[in-house]
Amino acid sequence: MFLIKSLPNVKQLSNLASLRVRLTLGIASMSILGLGVVGMGVCWQMQNILVVAHKNNTHYIADRFPSDVEIYSDMVSLEEGTQKAIDNLSNSQTLLWVRDTQGELTAQSEALKMGMRGKNLLSLTDIASQPEFRKIGDRYWVLCSTRLVVKGVDLGDFHIAQDITKDQMMFWGVMRSLLMVSIIATILMTGSIAWYIQTALQPLKRMSKTTKDISPETLGQVQLELENAPSEVKELANTLQTTLTRLSNAWEDQRQLVSNVSHELRTPLTVVSGYLQSTLRRGNNLTDIQKEALETASSEADRTIQLLQDLLDLARAENGRMYFHLETIVLNELLGEIEGMVHQYPIPVEISLPNESVKIKGDKNRLKQVFLNLIDNAVKYSHSPEPIVIQLSQEKQQANIQVCDRGVGIPLAHQTRIFERFYRVDEARSRNVGGTGLGLSIVKTLVEGMGGTIKVISKPNQGTTFTILFPVL
Ligand code: ADP
């Protein structure tokens, strides 16, 4: 059973690049080739032994026959002596006959005379003096012919035919059994090889499985422990472990740097923004150009403060230092509050709520941040006045919140990447609408931090729907 399990299946076989399939096919073909060559050699050798034994027998009869005729002809005539010698040496497997110099049949074995066996033999005219193996009809023969001279008289050609059909059949029987045994041995061998290779490659598979799930956050926790692995694989695992540790340290340093820089820059920028806004508020004697310049500077300062705040949030989330003030939230009420906050947008926002209250556990401010971020994006990436629809529902044990727009949409290839930091589908457009590329990664971090999930469905030029799921209380 284990052999059947370890044989590569059709799907695995189609993956010809896999080391397991390549090694199995390679070793199995070599073994089949080796077995084939050995089998053919054995077959050829056995056939030779069989035929040679019969040829020797034929030689023996050819050598002995003239002296037998000579002995018999001391008592009877030469022709009668020849017939007696033939009768004496003939048996069920050995047929003998003599043709005189004119080609007339002068003596022959009883079986030939009765026409019982070897009917086709008498018509043969091309029998060589050296014993040869021939198939005539459905039977196998060793044939040979020699000149018969007794007491100086040329009696013509003496022919010997030995029937080796029975031996030949036995030989084929043995060969068939050998072939069956070879096929079974090959199947068992291929299965064993596949199983052995699978076992040998197991440590590599384990290593690949462990490394597949590595994320920047888990870089430092990965332990590539490979007991009983071959030394080469252990060496590879050690090298990988060292590389992962170095990467983890570098990643940690970078995170720390981002966190420190964001923190250090945010405070002075907040002061700058405050001064700009108070100057704008009090500057009655400012010219229009000065006012416009101050407004641009103020909005850029605010955008940069937001970016730094986002970076700080992400760094905190990654360090596990993002704290949520978890409480029971009635999503109907929270979305109602949001409805009151989104009047200033140029596109209407429609919020559809169910009659029953949908309660989850979450951080009120963080949840507002999530929804406002998604609504902000929906407005930014819409070019028609079609309303943005937010729909709340409860399915089974999950609260389902959808934020749908009829905007530019996101091409399929980008949909899996938009939650990455600084990833923007269209750099120029995002910059124009004031995007930093951090919004969705913050949204995802916050949603997952509160135990929810977020996914996106979108079609270019038709719109985008973000779906957030939270377990209900
Ligand atoms: P940004 O600050 O650039 O908007 P986000 O992380 O919020 O960054 O979004 C990442 C990218 O995803 C955006 O640059 C935009 O291309 C795309 N995107 C996000 N929301 C939408 C949406 N509702 N419709 C179309 N594209 C969107």
Side-chain angles (χ1 to χ4, degrees), residues 99-332:
R99 282 187 191 280
D100 66 12
T101 44
Q102 269 81 51
E104 286 300 318
L105 203 60
T106 51
Q108 56 185 305
S109 298
E110 200 61 27
L112 282 171
K113 218 182 283 173
M114 312 286 286
M116 284 154 33
R117 313 196 52 212
K119 281 179 210 144
N120 310 328
L121 289 173
L122 293 177
S123 55
L124 293 177
T125 52
D126 57 343
I127 301 176
S129 57
Q130 283 306 313
E132 56 170 345
F133 172 75
R134 244 197 245 185
K135 185 175 183 220
I136 301 168
D138 57 349
R139 304 196 77 78
Y140 298 90
W141 299 89
V142 171
L143 300 168
C144 124
S145 154
T146 177
R147 202 71 180 175
L148 181 62
V149 180
V150 180
K151 294 180 180 172
V153 182
D154 186 356
L155 293 175
D157 287 322
F158 170 53
H159 302 283
I160 307 162
Q162 268 211 295
D163 188 355
I164 61 164
T165 309
K166 216 167 130 193
D167 291 355
Q168 195 65 24
M169 287 302 156
M170 253 169 63
F171 168 74
W172 286 124
V174 172
M175 282 301 119
R176 264 197 299 276
S177 313
L178 209 69
L179 185 70
M180 286 304 292
V181 170
S182 306
I183 291 172
I184 293 169
T186 308
I187 293 171
L188 289 176
M189 207 166 59
T190 310
S192 319
I193 293 168
W195 173 78
Y196 184 75
I197 291 172
Q198 190 193 27
T199 315
L201 292 179
Q202 214 57 47
L204 275 180
K205 270 195 176 167
R206 282 211 304 273
M207 209 161 96
S208 138
K209 204 171 153 216
T210 315
T211 46
K212 205 152 81 183
D213 300 330
I214 297 178
S215 65
E217 290 71 32
T218 56
L219 262 176
Q221 299 148 24
V222 179
Q223 280 302 323
L224 297 171
E225 275 166 19
L226 300 170
E227 280 168 31
N228 305 328
S231 56
E232 291 88 344
V233 178
K234 271 191 181 157
E235 208 176 306
L236 178 68
N238 285 341
T239 314
L240 194 63
Q241 184 79 58
T242 317
T243 313
L244 287 177
T245 312
R246 275 200 219 126
L247 264 176
S248 163
N249 293 342
W251 182 253
E252 190 51 48
D253 290 349
Q254 189 209 331
R255 241 172 9 192
Q256 202 57 47
L257 180 77
V258 170
S259 175
N260 292 346
V261 170
S262 313
H263 196 265
E264 292 303 318
L265 287 180
R266 202 178 50 148
T267 316
L269 258 177
T270 313
V271 175
V272 169
S273 168
Y275 276 121
L276 284 171
Q277 274 165 20
S278 75
T279 313
L280 267 170
R281 266 199 313 275
R282 294 196 200 131
N284 298 329
N285 50 354
L286 290 174
T287 63
D288 283 351
I289 295 174
Q290 284 171 331
K291 228 177 182 172
E292 201 186 320
L294 282 175
E295 272 165 3
T296 311
S298 169
S299 87
E300 279 305 303
D302 286 349
R303 204 174 72 84
T304 316
I305 290 168
Q306 186 55 49
L307 169 72
L308 293 171
Q309 182 60 48
D310 287 352
L311 278 172
L312 255 178
D313 279 351
L314 278 174
R316 281 191 185 132
E318 278 160 7
N319 287 336
R321 284 196 285 115
M322 182 178 266
Y323 299 110
F324 293 99
H325 178 64
L326 294 180
E327 56 185 323
T328 301
I329 305 281
V330 181
L331 280 174
N332 313 51

Side-chain angles (χ1 to χ4, degrees), residues 322 324 326 360-363 366-367 370 397-399 401 443-454 467-473:
M322 182 178 266
F324 293 99
L326 294 180
I360 62 162
K361 213 157 200 77
D363 181 319
R366 296 299 192 187
L367 279 171
V370 165
Q397 282 309 298
Q398 289 200 301
I401 310 115
V443 166
K444 189 170 161 56
T445 310
L446 292 178
V447 169
E448 288 178 355
M450 288 183 276
T453 55
I454 180 164
T467 306
I468 298 178
L469 298 175
F470 279 113
V472 288
L473 288 179

Side-chain angles (χ1 to χ4, degrees), residues 373-374 377-378 380-381 405 407-410 418 420 423-426 430 433-441 458 464 466:
N373 220 320
L374 291 179
N377 270 352
K380 275 195 300 192
Y381 300 105
D405 64 61
V408 293
I410 305 163
I418 52 169
E420 289 173 19
Y423 191 83
R424 294 191 289 203
V425 177
D426 181 345
S430 292
V433 292
T436 60
L438 283 177
L440 286 180
S441 47
S458 184
T464 306
F466 283 95

